[in-house]
Amino acid sequence: MAYSNAYAPSAPELPESYVHQQHDGENRYRYAYQPTQQFSSSSGLFSPETHPEIVKSFESADRDWSGFLEESELRQALLCSGYQGISNRTIRFLMFIYKSPGDSLLRLGPKEYVELWNCLAQWRAIFDSYDRDRNGKMNSTELRDAFYHLGYMLPTSVLQLIQTQFDDGTGKTVELCFDSFLECGMIVKGLTEKFKENDPGYTGYATIPYDVFMLMVIPFIASYD
């Protein structure tokens, strides 16, 4: 079955304070980048407007100079970009969602990597904005508020279901780290966008044929196989 990156969730809207928030005297969201000068990459794979950190992380991780990042290379590229703690499962999910629809291999080219980078930066900004106690995790209230301000008024039952998926079985209160928030956030946003295509009147109801339903859901779960 061929999948399309039309399933890839678009980046969420940024908090109003995205560019302006400061942390320890430094801009917390350094990837809110508006180019004032042009850069060139040694590989020539990126446009001059591309953030130099994107180019650097891609080229340093592309060990075989193939022009593509495979799973282990993407993990290294994200590490170089400051995204530590991203699980193998989430890495695989991101690759599956953002890979070129015309490529049969699970890999990302420069275009797809730029799209992923920008989306990750915006999800990071959302996470930091609603992690109010700054403990690096999101509790149920913070998660509810984050989804609410993204425009998703999820029922309590759905929020509870999301949290149970990340229960480690220790009996402790479930809190989501950035990796878990990113995973569930992209799934919620992506499935909601697909649902809206079948609910043009925004009624909250849709009649969906079985095959359409399967095509909506499978791209979000197949990468976990």
Side-chain angles (χ1 to χ4, degrees), residues 12-19 21-23 26-31 81-83 119-138 142-143 145-146 150 176-179 181-182:
E13 293 295 325
L14 295 172
E16 293 180 359
S17 56
Y18 179 73
V19 178
Q21 287 190 2
Q22 301 289 315
H23 183 63
E26 297 180 0
N27 194 322
R28 295 177 60 205
Y29 307 129
R30 62 190 178 94
Y31 303 136
S81 303
Y83 290 104
C119 195
L120 284 178
Q122 294 185 241
W123 278 109
R124 179 81 241 186
I126 294 293
F127 183 87
D128 288 347
S129 181
Y130 291 100
D131 175 23
R132 297 188 180 95
D133 56 8
R134 296 291 182 263
N135 70 344
K137 297 181 180 179
M138 193 169 280
E142 293 168 336
L143 180 65
D145 292 347
L150 285 169
L176 273 61
C177 62
F178 173 66
D179 174 61
F181 172 70
L182 171 66

Side-chain angles (χ1 to χ4, degrees), residues 13-111:
E13 293 295 325
L14 295 172
E16 293 180 359
S17 56
Y18 179 73
V19 178
H20 304 293
Q21 287 190 2
Q22 301 289 315
H23 183 63
D24 295 335
E26 297 180 0
N27 194 322
R28 295 177 60 205
Y29 307 129
R30 62 190 178 94
Y31 303 136
Y33 176 67
Q34 298 296 328
T36 56
Q37 55 182 311
Q38 293 189 334
F39 300 85
S40 61
S41 66
S42 59
S43 65
L45 296 173
F46 294 89
S47 67
E49 295 78 19
T50 305
H51 192 302
E53 290 296 326
I54 299 179
V55 177
K56 179 182 177 181
S57 63
F58 184 97
E59 293 183 343
S60 64
D62 182 18
R63 293 186 292 268
D64 58 1
W65 288 90
S66 66
F68 293 92
L69 297 182
E70 298 180 353
E71 183 176 335
S72 61
E73 294 173 326
L74 177 60
R75 185 179 301 107
Q76 183 59 41
L78 294 181
L79 280 173
C80 292
S81 303
Y83 290 104
Q84 300 183 7
I86 303 293
S87 68
N88 293 340
R89 163 174 158 150
T90 301
I91 291 287
R92 196 171 301 113
F93 173 68
L94 293 173
M95 294 194 73
F96 189 87
I97 292 298
Y98 278 92
K99 69 182 286 293
S100 171
D103 194 339
S104 60
L105 301 177
L106 194 60
R107 61 184 186 176
L108 301 183
K111 177 178 180 294

